[in-house]
């Protein structure tokens, strides 16, 4: 197990470039299973969850060629579907929540799949019902064995149909979409997720020969085709990293430029940070966060406390609520953070309170942050990273704190952020990785 030792309270300065989007990478890599032809993907982040999925694709029999540091060519000409029955697959797939994304492509191309219950962050209940209800409506039959925690699915005759999703699930939409592109006839997906990640997947599938209309909306129409071909695809910059760097700059009173931030795909993210009082200068595709000693949280027009809540796209992404929460600690004013989509993502605030933050955890979904307005610094402590996003929030707090902090279980952070310690060092951070 690794730890980060951080000497906080230092101002940072410089440029940082976000990695390719992790959430996009997982579904785009899975989509390479839809065709026997080569698919080249650029800007793939070198992080644990993505690397595990790449390894899994190779284990299934696909050819995986690393072209350079962030580009791969996948050729899924011959897939060994029997590998799904192996103990090795069960172990690997169960440790990676992103493994659920191989279901749609395998069902579409081979008519059957089997997968153990996927792993992932311990951030509350995350249902897979949306995936399976969609597959069922397309004609798949599935069975869950509680004995070995395996899902077995027969999809030998997928037929297009009308599907009204019970929730606008990003992974559910992507999985059903990938199954539908090779199904017979017309499929309509209503209440589809429309995040940039889904738009990117749709555009890639269209380049491969799929027939998809309604891209960017919550109503997708897919006309099934016989087969798909190869393509070249470049991932978007990771919007979660962009938001994290904005929060980092504000908390540490640093001047940081986020290069190639994919500004046109950030949605509400810049506006939410501006409502916290943070100044942003957008220059083409870059975002400059100037050094800023004080920033003041807006109120609503009637003077009531600002609420920042997550919502399906084009609402504010839940993956940045923990970053907004930690950024508000040194603001002037008060904000209510409302995490609607997951019930235990706020349970890391006890560490921030131990550091000196003024936070009231109202319930598993809501926390009120009363900003310190720089009247006192946070103090360094020892803590553990519970999940990816909370871990980075604690890292930001530690970098702004007075004294030394040690964050253990940083493998959680490594799952979502590529070489984050080395990249922060280049900005001037005093951070060391300790191997235990």
């Amino acid at each position: 197990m690794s730890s980060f030792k951080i000497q906080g309270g230092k101002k940072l300065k410089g440029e940082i470039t976000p990695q390719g989007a992790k959430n996009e990478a997982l579904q785009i890599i899975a989509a390479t299973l839809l065709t026997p032809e080569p698919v080249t993907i650029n800007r793939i982040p070198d992080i644990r969850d993505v690397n595990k999925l790449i390894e899994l694709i190779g284990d299934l029999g696909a050819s995986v060629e690393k072209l350079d540091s962030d580009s791969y060519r996948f050729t899924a000409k011959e897939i060994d579907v029997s590998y799904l029955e192996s103990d090795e697959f069960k172990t690997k797939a169960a440790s990676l929540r992103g493994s659920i994304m191989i279901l749609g492509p395998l069902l579409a191309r081979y008519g059957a799949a089997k997968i153990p219950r996927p792993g992932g962050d311990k951030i509350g209940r995350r249902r897979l019902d949306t995936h399976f209800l969609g597959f069922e409506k397309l004609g798949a039959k599935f069975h869950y064995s509680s004995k070995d925690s395996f899902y077995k699915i027969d999809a030998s005759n997928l037929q297009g149909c009308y599907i009204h999703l019970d929730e606008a699930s990003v992974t559910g939409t992507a999985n059903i979409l990938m199954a539908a592109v090779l199904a017979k006839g017309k499929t309509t997906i209503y209440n589809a997720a429309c995040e940039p990640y889904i738009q990117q997947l749709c555009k890639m599938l269209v380049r491969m020969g799929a027939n998809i209309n309604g891209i960017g909306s919550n109503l997708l129409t897919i006309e099934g085709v016989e087969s798909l071909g190869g393509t070249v695809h470049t991932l978007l910059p990771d919007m979660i990293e962009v938001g994290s760097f904005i929060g980092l700059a504000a908390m540490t009173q640093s001047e940081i430029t986020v290069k190639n931030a994919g500004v046109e795909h950030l949605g509400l993210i810049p506006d939410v940070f501006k409502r916290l009082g943070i100044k942003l200068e957008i220059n083409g595709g870059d975002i400059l966060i100037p050094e800023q000693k004080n920033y003041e949280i807006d109120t609503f027009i009637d003077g009531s406390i600002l609420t920042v809540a997550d919502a399906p796209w084009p609402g504010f992404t839940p993956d940045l609520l923990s970053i907004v929460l930690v950024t508000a600690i040194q603001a002037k004013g008060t904000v209510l953070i409302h995490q609607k989509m997951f019930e235990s993502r706020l349970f890391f605030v006890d560490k921030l309170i131990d550091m000196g933050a003024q936070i009231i955890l109202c319930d598993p979904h809501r926390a009120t942050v009363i900003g310190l307005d720089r009247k006192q610094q946070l103090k360094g402590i020892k803590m553990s990273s519970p999940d990816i996003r909370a871990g980075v929030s604690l890292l930001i707090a530690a970098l702004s704190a007075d004294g030394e902090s040690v964050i253990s279980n940083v493998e959680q952070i490594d799952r979502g952020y590529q070489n984050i310690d080395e990249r922060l060092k280049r900005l001037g951070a005093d951070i060391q990785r300790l191997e235990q």
Side-chain angles (χ1 to χ4, degrees):
M1 184 180 291
S2 301
S3 300
F4 286 152
K5 184 170 76 170
I6 303 111
Q7 192 67 39
K10 295 192 173 185
K11 291 185 180 181
L12 311 179
K13 190 175 178 65
E15 298 178 346
I16 191 165
T17 302
Q19 66 192 21
K22 172 198 168 183
N23 291 338
E24 180 187 346
L26 295 175
Q27 57 197 37
I28 291 292
I29 291 168
T32 64
L33 294 172
L34 284 165
T35 176
E37 296 185 16
V39 177
T40 300
I41 306 174
N42 302 313
R43 201 187 280 155
I44 291 181
D46 182 13
I47 54 178
R48 289 180 62 200
D49 280 8
V50 171
N51 291 337
K52 280 185 177 182
L53 184 59
I54 292 173
E55 182 181 335
L56 190 59
I57 297 293
D59 291 338
L60 281 165
S63 166
V64 179
E65 303 169 75
K66 188 170 185 178
L67 305 179
D68 58 40
S69 61
D70 63 356
S71 296
Y72 286 77
R73 182 187 295 122
F74 300 87
T75 308
K77 192 171 184 179
E78 296 180 3
I79 295 300
D80 179 13
V81 182
S82 65
Y83 178 72
L84 302 176
E85 305 283 345
S86 69
D87 290 337
E88 181 179 271
F89 172 74
K90 181 177 181 180
T91 300
K92 289 186 176 182
S95 67
L96 174 64
R97 189 168 188 85
S99 63
I100 191 71
M101 299 311 302
I102 69 173
L103 280 187
L106 290 177
L107 294 179
R109 193 167 160 206
Y110 295 99
K114 189 174 181 181
I115 193 167
R117 184 188 295 274
D121 279 345
K122 296 179 180 178
I123 56 174
R125 188 173 61 92
R126 294 207 271 187
R127 297 187 298 116
L128 297 175
D129 302 52
T130 304
H131 301 247
F132 291 116
L133 289 171
F135 294 149
E136 272 191 320
K137 289 188 176 180
L138 288 169
K141 298 177 177 66
F142 76 94
H143 172 71
Y144 175 67
S145 171
S146 56
K147 184 177 180 180
D148 60 3
S149 298
F150 253 94
Y151 295 96
K152 186 176 182 180
I153 308 167
D154 172 22
S156 53
N157 186 28
L158 293 183
Q159 299 281 343
C161 64
Y162 176 82
I163 301 172
H164 188 148
L165 300 185
D166 63 335
E167 62 174 354
S169 163
V170 176
T171 55
T173 299
N175 235 340
I176 296 165
L177 174 67
M178 289 189 284
V181 291
L182 294 179
K184 296 176 183 176
K186 176 181 174 181
T187 299
T188 300
I189 306 174
Y190 188 46
N191 195 30
C194 53
E195 272 80 352
Y197 312 134
I198 292 292
Q199 297 176 41
Q200 285 283 97
L201 175 63
C202 288
K203 291 172 183 177
M204 171 178 155
L205 292 173
V206 168
R207 290 196 305 273
M208 294 169 70
N211 187 341
I212 304 170
N213 289 300
I215 298 172
S217 76
N218 69 346
L219 181 64
L220 295 175
T221 304
I222 305 105
E223 292 282 353
V225 296
E226 287 293 322
S227 62
L228 297 177
T231 190
V232 177
H233 181 82
T234 300
L235 301 179
L236 292 176
D238 195 310
M239 68 171 74
I240 311 306
E241 276 213 341
V242 173
S244 301
F245 298 147
I246 294 172
L248 170 68
M251 279 291 282
T252 58
Q253 304 178 62
S254 302
E255 181 182 307
I256 295 175
T257 298
V258 184
K259 301 289 290 182
N260 302 318
V263 175
E264 67 273 24
H265 302 289
L266 294 178
L268 288 175
I269 292 171
D271 291 334
V272 169
F273 282 101
K274 286 177 181 177
R275 296 211 73 179
L276 296 182
I278 298 167
K279 296 176 183 176
L280 304 176
E281 297 176 16
I282 296 175
N283 304 308
D286 303 339
I287 301 176
L288 169 66
I289 308 98
E291 181 180 334
Q292 192 173 349
K293 183 176 181 181
N294 300 102
Y295 47 100
E296 184 172 356
I297 300 169
D298 280 351
T299 60
F300 287 123
I301 292 174
D302 63 0
S304 59
I305 293 172
L306 179 70
T307 297
V308 177
D310 58 339
W313 191 271
F316 189 67
T317 172
D319 285 344
L320 279 175
L321 274 185
S322 60
I323 304 295
V324 170
L325 185 150
V326 77
T327 305
I329 289 172
Q330 288 295 0
K332 179 181 180 181
T334 301
V335 63
L336 175 66
I337 305 295
H338 191 174
Q339 171 65 266
K340 297 178 181 178
M341 297 173 71
F342 304 108
E343 67 267 20
S344 52
R345 262 197 175 171
L346 299 179
F347 285 172
F348 72 101
V349 300
D350 58 326
K351 282 91 169 175
L352 298 174
I353 293 169
D354 289 344
M355 297 177 80
Q358 296 187 102
I359 302 173
I360 301 167
L361 185 61
C362 308
D363 57 45
H365 290 275
R366 296 179 301 159
T368 300
V369 184
I370 303 157
L372 298 172
D373 193 23
R374 308 280 191 204
K375 290 184 170 61
Q376 66 184 61
Q377 265 189 287
L378 298 181
K379 62 179 185 295
I381 64 168
K382 292 184 178 180
M383 46 194 161
S384 178
S385 171
D387 64 68
I388 300 172
R389 309 306 175 192
V392 170
S393 300
L394 295 175
L395 177 57
I396 291 171
L399 288 164
S400 73
D402 180 30
E404 182 180 287
S405 294
V406 176
I407 303 175
S408 59
N409 195 31
V410 298
E411 287 81 5
Q412 287 287 348
I413 300 174
D414 292 337
R415 289 179 49 224
Y417 291 79
Q418 177 178 321
N419 302 324
I420 189 64
D421 50 331
E422 295 301 322
R423 294 158 76 198
L424 291 174
K425 281 180 183 177
R426 290 194 284 272
L427 293 176
D430 187 344
I431 179 172
Q432 298 178 52
R433 182 182 291 267
L434 307 176
E435 302 292 346
Q436 297 175 350

